[in-house]
Amino acid sequence: MALPVAAPPAAMPRPRRDGLTEIADRVLAGCSLVPVAPVLDVRAFGWTGGLRDQWRAIRDEARMAALAENRAGAEGRFTLWRRGGHDAANAARCPATTATVAAIPGLDSAGFSILPPGAHVPVRRGPTRGLLTCHLGLIVPRDGDARMRVGDRMVRWAEGETVVFDDTYDHEAWNDSGDTRVVLRVRVRRPLRQPGRWIADTLLRVRSALHR
């Protein structure tokens, strides 16, 4: 697995969130069936094994589709699955990846995330604690330091390995290398007991309707 390394909290402004979101996140934290922490143990998510088993086929499709389309070498995403179903055109170009992610329980979205050389993704926070994010390392430069901070944890991606994290913690990413970093980014519904499951699903439906 991608091993998180302890790091001191970064001294930078905390992204602001509205009061209702903060209250909802506290309720969901109290209903969570998995630890509420920046980085979680992948062994609690058996489906990550399927990603690791298929990582070479997924990497090859990322090269043929996502990197081929991103000729400018910019930061970007290649969407395969959105809430409600797959992106038909992109899924057809990546059949192995699409089949693998379609088998993930509670799948919310999936796609390739591209981080070019020298890039820094500034600090941000995800919209809801009702979701968790998984990264599968596909192309990780070895000539520098490609890393991500989530809360007070520092993670360095590894090819063929997964990391599961809660993006409602402050997080940012760097690619201090001379090559492009590519991961498969998967978002899933956090395991919750009631009433957290109902609250999270309602919030996700509202968010989906607002972003159509």
Side-chain angles (χ1 to χ4, degrees), residues 56-212:
R56 288 183 175 84
I58 295 171
R59 176 197 59 192
D60 292 345
E61 290 183 346
R63 284 175 171 161
M64 294 292 291
L67 286 182
E69 184 173 286
N70 189 40
R71 295 185 180 90
E75 179 187 350
R77 291 179 183 168
F78 184 91
T79 300
L80 294 169
W81 196 279
R82 293 188 180 91
R83 191 173 303 118
H86 62 272
D87 182 305
N90 288 349
R93 299 170 64 185
C94 304
T97 306
T98 301
T100 301
V101 300
I104 296 174
L107 178 65
D108 177 80
S109 62
F112 300 119
S113 173
I114 301 168
L115 196 61
H120 171 225
V121 178
V123 64
R124 59 186 63 183
R125 295 178 71 186
T128 173
R129 189 155 274 168
L131 295 174
L132 294 171
T133 303
C134 174
H135 282 182
L136 169 68
L138 300 175
I139 302 172
V140 180
R142 299 181 182 181
D143 67 340
D145 189 10
R147 66 198 185 280
M148 172 177 60
R149 180 185 67 83
V150 186
D152 63 353
R153 308 295 296 276
M154 194 70 76
V155 174
R156 288 173 172 83
W157 297 281
E159 292 183 358
E161 300 296 340
T162 50
V163 58
V164 177
F165 62 97
D166 179 346
D167 74 0
T168 61
Y169 287 89
D170 298 351
H171 61 284
E172 58 185 324
W174 299 262
N175 183 7
D176 293 331
S177 79
D179 295 304
T180 298
R181 183 236 62 182
V182 181
V183 300
L184 175 67
R185 177 181 180 270
V186 176
R187 302 189 84 186
V188 298
R189 298 193 306 169
R190 176 188 287 271
L192 295 163
R193 66 176 64 89
Q194 296 293 3
R197 179 76 279 143
W198 180 86
I199 293 170
D201 289 348
T202 299
L203 292 174
L204 289 173
R205 284 195 297 270
V206 171
R207 177 170 171 262
S208 180
L210 291 174
H211 288 84
R212 283 178 182 170

Side-chain angles (χ1 to χ4, degrees), residues 1-74:
M1 68 183 72
L3 298 178
V5 180
M12 57 188 62
R14 181 179 177 83
R16 298 183 64 180
R17 291 156 73 80
D18 64 79
L20 288 177
T21 299
E22 294 284 7
I23 292 170
D25 280 353
R26 285 198 293 271
V27 173
L28 296 181
C31 295
S32 182
L33 296 174
V34 295
V36 179
V39 180
L40 291 85
D41 189 337
V42 297
R43 291 174 294 185
F45 305 91
W47 51 265
T48 61
L51 296 179
R52 294 189 294 274
D53 289 344
Q54 296 297 319
W55 84 271
R56 288 183 175 84
I58 295 171
R59 176 197 59 192
D60 292 345
E61 290 183 346
R63 284 175 171 161
M64 294 292 291
L67 286 182
E69 184 173 286
N70 189 40
R71 295 185 180 90

